[in-house]
Amino acid sequence: MGDAVGFAPDAAIGCRDYKIGCIGAGFIMADVHLAAYAEAGFPVVAIASRNAAKAAEVAKRWGIGRVHDTPERLIEDGEVEIVDIAFPPDQQPDLIRQALIQPHVKAILAQKPLALDLAEAERIEAECRDAGKVLSVNQNMRFDQSMRVLKQLLDRGDLGEPVIATIEMRAIPHWQDFLRDYDRLTLLNMSIHHLDVLRFLFGDPTEIFTAVRPDPRTAFAHTDGITCSTLQFPSGLLAVSLEDVWSGPKVEGFQSDIYIKWRVEGTEGVAQGTIGWPDYPAGSPSTLRYCSLRATDGAWVEPKWDTMWFPHAFKGVMGQLQDALHDGKEPMLSGRDNVKTMALVEAGYRSMKEGRSVKLAELGH
């Protein structure tokens, strides 16, 4: 953990009791979820995907005992207590609903976005509560080490009252093929990381203004390519989330500067840092440095750690769900909480369409 004295960059692992069945065998499951689970010691008992042969390869790689021909068969496996889904958001709701009627399934870990729009997300969350199943949504940026340490700085008051916050992403995503069929792109599938983590850090905003333009590199039809959202919070705090998925020409010999940076300025201090994700799988930890009138006499301090967002944050995601089941409580990344993030995304799309700032109260949030 390096010399992150006084901070907890990584969540402690408590419960490892509940058996996991994984749906999906692509990058996010094969290289991230399962890598984190193996390191944490979480019990994965089965896997399935749309391609059974690929699922079998992943099972062999990670020593998973059973491969099911279809996701539906996995959900019906009586040994599976947590269904961990890594599937496209248009197909995810049907899998969740099948899990709700299985008596052996105690909880579902869904990918973000939970659904394609707020209305469907609200329906799913309500159905899970009515069925007595625990729903958690994989908003894993909350477990990025720099975000966790920043939250600890904010909670103990080292920065004073937050005044302005920014997240600036200049990186080129790999857009999955299934996104071609949606009418929503960056705000729903990339900005959602940043909008959710701003809620985690500062609470719920009152309004959002989102401006967009198409990304010249993205070949399929879309509206929200490059996005910029401004959020207003009850305290007066302003936050800006920029997703520049263009970031410059991507050609041989062009020395682009790709990064994700963040900065928070408060009445008593400043914190800033970077997110290490763009270097995966070679890997580099996220960074944070801060100066505080209260805590550092105005000098910069830079705590360090060795772990990374991908894959180590995913230990925290599954850990908070395991702990919630063990303790009989609502997980931090609950479906109920995630509906508020989906409302923020939905308000962003309304803002984009209508060219105005949208209050969350308009959507009932």
Side-chain angles (χ1 to χ4, degrees):
M1 198 173 289
D3 56 353
V5 178
F7 298 106
D10 295 283
I13 302 300
C15 178
R16 299 175 174 84
D17 295 345
Y18 298 95
K19 297 174 182 177
I20 305 163
C22 294
I23 297 178
F27 162 76
I28 198 67
M29 183 63 76
D31 293 274
V32 184
H33 285 232
L34 291 172
Y37 299 170
E39 188 170 315
F42 295 132
V44 179
V45 297
I47 189 170
S49 184
R50 287 169 291 186
N51 185 324
K54 189 171 183 181
E57 292 176 6
V58 175
K60 183 177 180 181
R61 175 181 171 189
W62 293 108
I64 300 170
R66 286 195 300 286
V67 179
H68 290 283
D69 292 339
T70 66
E72 291 76 14
R73 290 284 180 86
L74 179 140
I75 292 170
E76 294 167 356
D77 184 335
E79 195 175 0
V80 170
E81 296 171 292
I82 297 176
V83 177
D84 181 11
I85 304 173
F87 246 46
D90 63 320
Q91 300 172 43
Q92 180 166 247
D94 287 344
L95 295 175
I96 293 173
R97 290 184 170 111
Q98 184 181 356
L100 296 184
I101 62 175
Q102 308 301 324
H104 54 272
V105 172
K106 294 178 169 62
I108 298 122
L109 179 63
Q111 284 296 316
K112 69 196 167 322
L114 177 58
L116 293 180
D117 57 42
L118 173 61
E120 178 71 337
E122 289 176 326
R123 284 191 290 269
I124 293 168
E125 192 278 326
E127 290 170 26
C128 288
R129 275 191 288 110
D130 291 345
K133 308 291 187 183
V134 177
L135 173 65
S136 189
V137 183
N138 193 346
Q139 295 284 174
N140 47 74
M141 195 175 184
R142 294 193 188 194
F143 285 91
D144 169 77
Q145 293 75 21
S146 72
M147 293 294 97
R148 278 179 52 85
V149 173
L150 173 58
K151 177 63 170 171
Q152 292 159 40
L153 284 170
L154 290 166
D155 286 349
R156 70 190 200 185
D158 287 7
L159 305 184
E161 180 182 342
V163 175
I164 184 169
T166 59
I167 298 176
E168 180 188 353
M169 170 185 167
R170 299 187 186 275
I172 304 168
H174 169 68
W175 295 127
Q176 299 99 321
D177 287 340
F178 61 78
L179 295 175
R180 295 172 179 268
D181 298 326
Y182 301 164
D183 60 354
R184 297 181 166 190
L185 184 60
T186 301
L187 195 62
L188 181 67
N189 297 284
M190 182 59 68
S191 310
I192 193 170
H193 280 106
H194 306 146
L195 298 179
D196 180 80
V197 86
L198 288 169
R199 287 190 56 244
F200 166 64
L201 294 169
F202 304 113
D204 290 316
T206 55
E207 60 187 283
I208 181 172
F209 179 82
T210 299
V212 301
R213 64 145 291 162
D215 165 34
R217 183 180 297 105
T218 300
F220 55 88
H222 67 286
T223 302
D224 56 321
I226 298 169
T227 63
C228 183
S229 298
T230 302
L231 284 62
Q232 182 91 46
F233 290 80
S235 67
L237 168 71
L238 284 177
V240 177
S241 178
L242 170 66
E243 291 77 37
D244 172 12
V245 298
W246 165 246
S247 80
K250 186 180 180 183
V251 295
E252 186 176 352
F254 185 82
Q255 297 180 351
S256 184
D257 185 19
I258 289 176
Y259 58 78
I260 305 176
K261 295 178 180 178
W262 58 265
R263 181 178 173 100
V264 176
E265 300 171 3
T267 55
E268 301 290 331
V270 176
Q272 61 186 25
T274 63
I275 303 295
W277 168 69
D279 293 330
Y280 189 86
S284 63
S286 298
T287 67
L288 176 147
R289 59 196 295 260
Y290 73 103
C291 58
S292 167
L293 295 175
R294 294 184 181 183
T296 71
D297 293 326
W300 286 100
V301 173
E302 187 171 357
K304 294 184 181 297
W305 45 83
D306 301 321
T307 48
M308 295 176 285
W309 179 9
F310 282 31
H312 302 108
F314 290 71
K315 292 193 290 184
V317 172
M318 179 55 72
Q320 58 89 40
L321 180 51
Q322 292 265 344
D323 289 346
L325 285 175
H326 181 269
D327 298 339
K329 64 182 183 181
E330 190 170 84
M332 180 217 294
L333 300 176
S334 68
R336 189 194 306 265
D337 180 80
N338 194 254
V339 164
K340 296 181 180 180
T341 294
M342 286 295 297
L344 187 54
V345 171
E346 194 74 30
Y349 277 109
R350 184 177 294 186
S351 171
M352 176 184 75
K353 181 179 179 180
E354 299 180 6
R356 64 178 179 90
S357 181
V358 172
K359 294 185 182 299
L360 274 295
E362 296 180 32
L363 284 73
H365 289 270

